[in-house]
Amino acid sequence: MSYLESVAQFYSEVAETPQVGLCCVQSSPLQLPGLNIPGKMQEMNYGCGTTVHATELAGNPTVLYVGVGGGLEALQFAYFSRQPGAVIAVDPVAMMREAARQNLQMAAQENDWFDPSFVEIREGDAFHLPVADASVDVVAQNCLFNIFEPADLAKALQEVYRVLKPGGRLLMSDPIATRSIPEHLQQDERLRAMCLSGALTYERYVQHLVQAGFGQVEIRARRPYRLLDRQSYGLGEHLLLESLDSVSFKVPIPDDGACIFTGKTAIYTGLEPFFDDQAGHVLQRGLPAAVCDKTATKLAATIPDVIVTSSTWHYDGGGCC
């Protein structure tokens, strides 16, 4: 049995009997006015963060959700679109697809605005998405891609890139590791299925996104997720996993490299009212301006009258590359 078959078997089990404590199942999902989440759907909240960001959902985009789980985030996406077929949810596990259908039927009983036709559930997997090239505006996945081994992660990201329209967005929430996870844990297929041993470091995670062709990556949130303690996991020292929410855009990669936004700002401190670096960045004196990490590094290295602040790991647009 391959590790992917082991993962499918594991999620067949938790589709039938929800496992309390898997991922962040005990955390509260995003609260939206007029949205009631069925209890069973909440129990199956197998995610480590959220991919639902209202700022990314203007204009009624077509959303492809990879790994439907209990249907919670598919329901949240439908909350914004409220149109038949606007949300397509894909899952390779038959029992998970059926559980999601049942949960969405319950959601229809508890939400008078929701119709199950708003979410179309299809059989498929991350390596063979059942949609045409350049056909969706948004692809989302929560706590799935971290399960993949690096070569499979590259395949999944290439497939996402294929189905996104130019300018489209990939919304992801995954665990990342504060240092490389030891090989003996990576080879534990059950821990991998539980989102505890497949996580990459932040640097490698973002590198995969850029190698897939995404020219701009924005970090929405980064926070502690789980601790792998040295006694239980055979480690020399404790290993912290973090949850990372990100949005990656299908735009060309600039000649000087991809634009990664982590919440850094540049502040001009000179005597003039503003500073223009003649490269598209105009900084008003004393006012923080959001910049990508690449620009932050250049400004800090070359302009003595510019202060660059640290990453906040919370960025929601408006900055400059």
Side-chain angles (χ1 to χ4, degrees):
M1 183 181 295
S2 71
Y3 86 95
L4 290 173
E5 291 171 327
S6 297
V7 168
Q9 179 177 313
F10 177 82
Y11 279 95
S12 292
E13 296 170 5
V14 299
E16 186 174 21
T17 305
Q19 182 173 324
V20 176
L22 178 64
C23 294
C24 291
V25 73
Q26 295 173 317
S27 65
S28 297
L30 177 67
Q31 301 296 308
L32 296 165
L35 174 61
N36 298 310
I37 299 173
K40 180 72 173 296
M41 187 177 280
Q42 168 62 24
E43 290 177 357
M44 296 178 68
N45 179 22
Y46 301 143
C48 66
T50 183
T51 65
V52 183
H53 305 286
T55 54
E56 307 302 331
L57 300 174
N60 294 322
T62 300
V63 177
L64 174 63
Y65 194 85
V66 186
V68 66
L72 189 152
E73 289 200 334
L75 174 65
Q76 292 175 326
F77 280 116
Y79 173 90
F80 289 93
S81 61
R82 307 194 184 194
Q83 296 180 20
V87 180
I88 303 166
V90 174
D91 205 293
V93 180
M95 294 185 69
M96 193 63 79
R97 295 195 302 272
E98 181 56 30
R101 287 190 181 98
Q102 294 177 9
N103 289 345
L104 290 169
Q105 289 289 343
M106 286 189 286
Q109 297 174 12
E110 299 184 23
N111 296 272
D112 56 11
W113 59 267
F114 178 69
D115 188 286
S117 68
F118 293 173
V119 180
E120 179 185 345
I121 299 178
R122 298 182 186 177
E123 180 179 1
D125 60 47
F127 313 122
H128 306 91
L129 295 173
V131 296
D133 295 359
S135 61
V136 298
D137 302 291
V138 172
V139 175
Q141 71 82 25
N142 193 330
C143 225
L144 170 64
F145 282 16
N146 76 97
I147 293 173
F148 298 147
E149 293 180 351
D152 287 331
L153 173 59
K155 291 178 185 177
L157 291 173
Q158 289 167 2
E159 183 68 351
V160 167
Y161 196 87
R162 175 186 70 81
V163 304
L164 278 173
K165 297 175 183 178
R169 291 143 288 171
L170 169 59
L171 282 55
M172 303 210 298
S173 180
D174 277 311
I176 58 172
T178 49
R179 68 175 189 276
S180 296
I181 292 179
E183 189 68 23
H184 74 279
L185 295 183
Q186 292 186 41
Q187 293 177 353
D188 189 316
E189 294 178 355
R190 191 166 185 86
L191 287 181
R192 184 175 284 274
M194 295 173 67
C195 303
L196 293 179
S197 69
L200 301 174
T201 61
Y202 167 79
E203 291 77 13
R204 288 190 64 200
Y205 187 88
V206 172
Q207 183 182 40
H208 271 278
L209 289 166
V210 175
Q211 288 176 340
F214 293 96
Q216 183 164 316
V217 180
E218 301 179 358
I219 305 304
R220 294 290 187 262
R222 181 177 179 176
R223 52 193 174 273
Y225 165 58
R226 291 288 181 90
L227 182 75
L228 304 183
D229 66 86
R230 61 177 183 270
Q231 301 92 339
S232 301
Y233 295 95
L235 299 169
E237 57 181 313
H238 301 319
L239 197 165
L240 177 66
L241 302 183
E242 298 176 321
S243 172
L244 188 78
D245 294 354
S246 65
V247 180
S248 302
F249 293 82
K250 184 178 178 178
V251 296
I253 299 176
D255 292 339
D256 60 349
C259 301
I260 316 296
F261 287 89
T262 63
K264 290 184 176 181
T265 69
I267 308 172
Y268 172 59
T269 64
L271 299 178
E272 302 299 323
F274 65 89
F275 168 75
D276 185 348
D277 71 350
Q278 304 300 313
H281 311 107
V282 178
L283 308 179
Q284 295 185 55
R285 185 174 58 198
L287 296 181
V291 292
C292 72
D293 290 7
K294 176 180 61 179
T295 295
T297 299
K298 290 179 180 178
L299 291 173
T302 60
I303 310 301
D305 290 334
V306 170
I307 295 172
V308 172
T309 61
S310 301
S311 299
T312 63
W313 306 108
H314 178 82
Y315 175 81
D316 58 4
C320 188
C321 287

